[in-house]
Amino acid sequence: MRRSHHERFGGAGRIFSAPARVNLIGEHTDYTGGLVMPMAIGFRTVAAISPRSDGRAVFYSDNYGEEVCFETTALERSPRGHWSDYAAGVLWSLRQEGIAVAGFSMSLAGDVPLGAGLSSSASVEVAAAMAMLSLADAELPLKTVATLCRRAENEYVGAKSGIMDQFVVAGAVAHRAMLLDTRALEFELLPLPEEVRVVIANSMVKHAVATGEYGDRRDEVEAGQAVLRRERGTELLRDASVADLEACRNRMSEASFLRCRHIITENARVVEARAALLDGYVKRFGELMVEAHASMRDDFAASAPEVDALVEIALRQAGCLGARITGGGFGGCTVNVVAADQAESFVAAVRREYAREMKIEADCFICAPSDGALALAKKGGAA
Ligand code: GLA
C-alpha cells in the first residue's frame, strides 16, 4: 500500500486501517436505541493519505482501479451511488463537525467481502476518517468518530443505518465482543469462551443497505414506535415491552407489529446473551442465536431462503452451538458459534451440504475478535 500510494501520488502516505465486523446478536435494534453485540473481524480496509497543495481531495480505489477527485472547499452533499461516496461523505461529515481537512490524496484498498453484511461501508468510512483526522491533526473520541461516520452514511450516502457498525469498527478491542447500548453509546467488552470459534458463512446472496428493503423495515419500525410513543409514552422501542406492544396491536399495521416484536424480544435476548457469556454458559448463548434467527426470519421478514438453508445446515453439524443471519439481512452471511476443535470440519461440511442443496459455493471464515481502528492506530499496527 505504501509503495503503490507513493508511486501513484509521489508522497509518503500515512497508513490507517479499519476492520469489518460481524454481529453476534442484536439485529435491527440499533436505530431504536437498543442493544447489539458485534465484534470486529480480520478483514480490513487500508487507507494511505498524503497532503497535496491544490486543495483537492483525490481518492484512488485499488479494488476498483479508479480515481475520483473533489474540491475540498466546495464539497456539497452529492452522492453518486459510487464507491467514493463513503470516503467523500466522511470528508463532508468532518466539515459538519467543524473539522476542515486541507487537500490530500488517499488510496484505499480492502479485502472486506462486499454486500455480505460484514460492514464493508463502515470499514471504509472509519479508515478514511482516521486518515483525514491525522492529516487535520485532530483527535476525536470514539463516540464522535462513530457518529460522524454514521452521519456520512445516513446523510451523504443515503443509507438509513444505525450506529452499530461505525462504533464497533472504530472502537473494538481484540479478543472481545462488544455489548453496545446504542442509546447511551456506552459499551462493555465481553470475553468469548476459549472453547468456541466464531464461523462466518457467506450465502453469496448480495444485500445492500442503501436500497429498498432495509429502509422499508425501518419505516415499518418507526411507524410502530410512533404509535407506542403516543399510546404508551415510550420514547424509543428500547423502552417498550411486548405487553405495551400487544396493547397497541390494533392501532398499527400487522407488519409494524411484527417488526417491533422482533426488536423488543431481540433486546431481551441480548441481555440474556450477555449473562450467558459472563456465566460461561455458551450453550444458552447458542440457543439465543437460534431464537434470534427465527425472529429475524418470521417477525422481521429479513432473511432469505438461501440464508435459512445455511442456518439449518449449520445446526445439523456436530459442535455447532448456534447459527443465525447477521447484519442487515435479505442475504449476506450467517454467524455460527462452533466448538473450537470442530470448526474446521464444520466449515467443510457446511460448504459441501450448501453446495449440494443450493448449488452455491459458500465462502466460510473462522474469525477471532480483532482490534478496531482506534486500537490499531494506537498500537501503530495500522496496516
Ligand atoms: C446494517 C446497518 C446497522 C444495523 C444492521 C442490522 O448493518 O448498517 O446499523 O442496523 O444492519 O442490525
Side-chain angles (χ1 to χ4, degrees), residues 84-329:
S84 61
D85 287 353
Y86 298 96
V90 168
L91 180 60
W92 172 84
S93 184
L94 276 167
R95 188 132 50 85
Q96 309 293 305
E97 203 65 41
I99 298 177
V101 188
F104 61 84
S105 307
M106 182 184 292
S107 307
L108 290 160
D111 62 0
V112 184
L114 302 180
L118 301 178
S119 213
S120 52
S121 53
S123 178
V124 172
E125 287 153 10
V126 173
M130 297 297 291
M132 291 178 209
L133 283 169
S134 105
L135 202 73
D137 217 7
E139 247 183 68
L140 296 177
L142 166 57
K143 273 186 197 179
T144 317
V145 174
T147 307
L148 80 88
C149 288
R150 180 196 183 184
R151 187 198 296 131
E153 175 127 5
N154 290 175
E155 295 178 31
Y156 191 98
V157 178
K160 292 158 93 186
S161 61
I163 188 86
M164 162 170 74
D165 303 347
Q166 292 81 5
F167 201 99
V168 69
V169 162
V173 173
H175 314 298
R176 295 286 182 272
M178 176 187 270
L179 174 76
L180 173 65
D181 176 330
T182 64
R183 173 166 55 190
L185 291 187
E186 280 164 7
F187 66 95
E188 183 182 354
L189 297 170
L190 298 167
L192 288 179
E194 294 280 318
E195 69 268 23
V196 295
R197 293 286 174 273
V198 173
V199 181
I200 295 172
N202 190 346
S203 71
M204 313 308 276
V205 177
K206 290 232 176 188
H207 94 132
V209 171
T211 53
E213 285 155 313
Y214 184 96
D216 294 347
R217 288 295 170 278
R218 227 188 128 146
D219 293 344
E220 290 160 352
V221 167
E222 276 163 9
Q225 182 172 253
V227 172
L228 279 158
R229 189 177 295 138
R230 197 175 62 230
E231 302 288 327
R232 313 292 291 181
T234 49
E235 177 57 26
L236 292 169
L237 262 187
R238 165 74 182 281
D239 306 310
S241 64
V242 174
D244 287 319
L245 182 67
E246 296 278 1
C248 300
R249 185 169 191 161
N250 57 9
R251 293 197 175 78
M252 63 180 78
S253 70
E254 184 64 5
S256 283
F257 172 79
L258 294 172
R259 310 309 175 239
C260 292
R261 187 168 68 183
H262 161 74
I263 291 175
I264 294 170
T265 58
E266 185 81 348
N267 279 326
R269 280 186 289 273
V270 179
V271 172
E272 221 195 304
R274 168 188 179 271
L277 274 190
L278 292 175
D279 295 347
Y281 191 14
V282 69
K283 183 169 171 290
R284 180 67 193 138
F285 189 88
E287 288 165 2
L288 289 161
M289 291 175 74
V290 175
E291 289 171 24
H293 181 75
S295 181
M296 268 286 274
R297 181 191 60 211
D298 302 335
D299 278 1
F300 213 72
S303 190
E306 294 85 350
V307 179
D308 293 338
L310 209 41
V311 166
E312 274 162 36
I313 291 167
L315 293 174
R316 291 205 291 264
Q317 308 306 322
C320 179
L321 295 152
R324 57 176 287 274
I325 188 169
T326 188

